[in-house]
Amino acid sequence: CLDSAVGMGFLMYSQEAVHTRFATYPPPVGSAEHVVCVRHTGLQWEYSSNDVWVSFTPRRAHDTLLASLNFDAGSLQSLEGTFEKMNHGIRQGYEVGDLIFAPDRWDGAKNP
């Protein structure tokens, strides 16, 4: 996510690889192949290219919000077990899994 991000956001799973789907303004090289940082502005969804927020159209059957993010606190909350909810056209949560989240980390180290 943008280091300067404030407010709330999400980690979103995309069935299509994010570097292909968002090729015009791709997420950083070396980031997750199918997960991207997103936020809803109240009007539209945006993903983080790590430089700017870029608007996108959700793919209802192919996108899932995996975790909620509080950029101000540097915290993350898994959405495991909240799998029947929709959030502005994106499925929010998943039934069960073995995902492990580590907020504010990049390539195994603390993100400066």
Side-chain angles (χ1 to χ4, degrees), residues 5 27 31 41 48 60 65 73-74 79 111:
S31 59
T41 66
S48 170
R60 188 177 195 107
L65 301 174
L79 295 172
N111 191 25

Side-chain angles (χ1 to χ4, degrees), residues 2-109:
L2 267 72
D3 290 333
S4 62
V6 295
M8 302 299 289
F10 299 91
L11 289 181
M12 182 188 82
Y13 169 81
S14 170
Q15 185 175 5
E16 182 179 0
V18 295
H19 295 91
T20 302
R21 179 175 177 183
F22 304 126
T24 304
Y25 297 101
V29 173
S31 59
E33 186 174 350
H34 291 275
V35 177
V36 66
C37 183
V38 301
R39 69 178 181 182
H40 194 271
T41 66
L43 299 173
Q44 65 188 9
W45 282 103
E46 297 177 330
Y47 73 91
S48 170
S49 72
N50 207 42
D51 294 316
V52 295
W53 290 103
V54 183
S55 62
F56 74 97
T57 301
R59 295 183 180 164
R60 188 177 195 107
H62 303 285
D63 294 336
T64 302
L65 301 174
L66 302 174
S68 63
L69 306 170
N70 182 326
F71 299 120
D72 301 322
S75 63
L76 175 150
Q77 177 67 45
S78 171
L79 295 172
E80 181 177 5
T82 61
F83 60 95
E84 294 183 4
K85 185 176 179 182
M86 294 297 287
N87 187 333
H88 300 282
I90 300 179
R91 183 177 336 131
Q92 179 170 309
Y94 55 100
E95 186 172 1
V96 67
D98 59 358
L99 298 175
I100 298 171
F101 301 103
D104 231 1
R105 309 283 294 178
W106 178 258
D107 198 24

